[in-house]
Amino acid sequence: MLLRAGLVLLVIAVAGGGVWLLKAATEPEQSPIEVPAASVPVADVRPGAVAPPQPQAGAVGEDPLKTWASRVAGAIDVPARALMAYGNAELVLRSEQPACHLSWATLAGIGRVESNHGRYGGARLNDDGRPSKAIIGVPLDGSVGVKAIADTDGGRYDGDATHDRAVGPMQFIPSTWQRWTADANLDGIGDPQQIDDAALAAGRYLCAGGRDLATPKDWWAAVFSYNNSVPYGQKVFGLADDYARTAV
């Protein structure tokens, strides 16, 4: 069966904290092993000039989303489980906000930059859509390159009772997740570490304000609302463009 989604509205204040640098939840005191976005090239494209292609997820058969994800995964080096989450979010938004034209490829571009599709630091996505070890960003303590955000969740989501940290494969700030939780897999829990929940939340945010992601202006506005950085947007564009053109 296709994954289903709860009708939970979303406004995300995701970006700006811990998106570029992540730490494993079990080792918050250590430096990151890698920066997920570091190896992603910056696309040679002027912001607002063009939008990447917007391919659609899905196939035919008893479980079309799984069939599609399994076929595409190897060609673009994205785990099939992550593709199912991105594709499910697209299908939900195609029903909820068809004028948005959200594509799984855009979500995949963001997911690659944020956490390498839930594979940061040697993690892997389990069948239930949760990483084998929680993905937690750097403390938002006002140091160079990050915002200063005092703790808002008592460490519930990020294990840090002093400062907030972005959490999960799509990197949500705890205070935002608490307010705008999405429950895409209908297990009764909105979990930012669970990739179906996180991808649907991110998709709704990108579509917020009546955006049409098939247009360059709105695509770039959506991505910059996630992280207001030109190199970030160019990286996501390059990834989304490549995913879309390769997964044919």
Side-chain angles (χ1 to χ4, degrees):
M1 293 178 62
L2 292 179
L3 295 172
R4 299 176 296 163
L7 301 179
V8 182
L9 293 177
L10 168 76
V11 172
I12 309 177
V14 203
V19 172
W20 294 82
L21 301 174
L22 305 177
K23 291 184 179 180
T26 54
E27 301 174 334
E29 75 285 355
Q30 298 182 3
S31 298
I33 298 171
E34 60 178 320
V35 178
S39 62
V40 177
V42 174
D44 184 14
V45 59
R46 180 169 57 84
V50 64
Q54 302 297 310
Q56 295 187 339
V60 296
E62 182 178 350
D63 193 339
L65 188 60
K66 185 175 182 179
T67 299
W68 166 80
S70 297
R71 176 179 63 81
V72 171
I76 62 174
D77 188 28
V78 177
R81 187 63 186 81
L83 275 176
M84 289 181 68
Y86 304 144
N88 179 68
E90 177 200 302
L91 293 172
V92 172
L93 269 297
R94 198 187 301 173
S95 174
E96 290 182 353
Q97 300 182 52
C100 175
H101 300 112
L102 173 73
S103 170
W104 63 268
T106 293
L107 290 172
I110 291 173
R112 168 63 182 88
V113 173
E114 299 295 357
S115 71
N116 195 13
H117 312 297
R119 296 181 293 189
Y120 171 71
R124 67 182 186 282
L125 286 176
N126 295 322
D127 289 343
D128 64 2
R130 293 176 174 84
S132 55
K133 52 183 177 180
I135 298 172
I136 308 292
V138 297
L140 302 180
D141 56 7
S143 57
V144 177
V146 299
K147 295 180 179 179
I149 302 180
D151 174 64
T152 62
D153 67 335
R156 175 184 176 188
Y157 293 108
D158 57 14
D160 189 336
T162 303
H163 297 98
D164 267 352
R165 301 179 182 221
V167 296
M170 304 301 279
Q171 288 289 275
F172 284 86
I173 293 172
S175 59
T176 304
W177 188 262
Q178 286 179 311
R179 184 176 180 184
W180 302 107
T181 298
D183 179 17
N185 62 353
L186 296 183
D187 64 354
I189 301 171
D191 183 357
Q193 297 287 347
Q194 206 279 336
I195 196 165
D196 301 313
D197 293 354
L200 177 59
R204 285 178 173 157
Y205 173 63
L206 293 171
C207 289
R211 294 189 183 109
D212 178 358
L213 301 192
T215 67
K217 177 182 177 182
D218 283 358
W219 189 90
W220 285 92
V223 173
F224 283 154
S225 73
Y226 211 94
N227 187 319
N228 191 21
S229 160
V230 170
Y232 180 91
Q234 291 171 323
K235 285 173 181 278
V236 172
F237 177 94
L239 288 161
D241 187 65
D242 185 63
Y243 289 150
R245 296 181 188 280
T246 303
V248 294

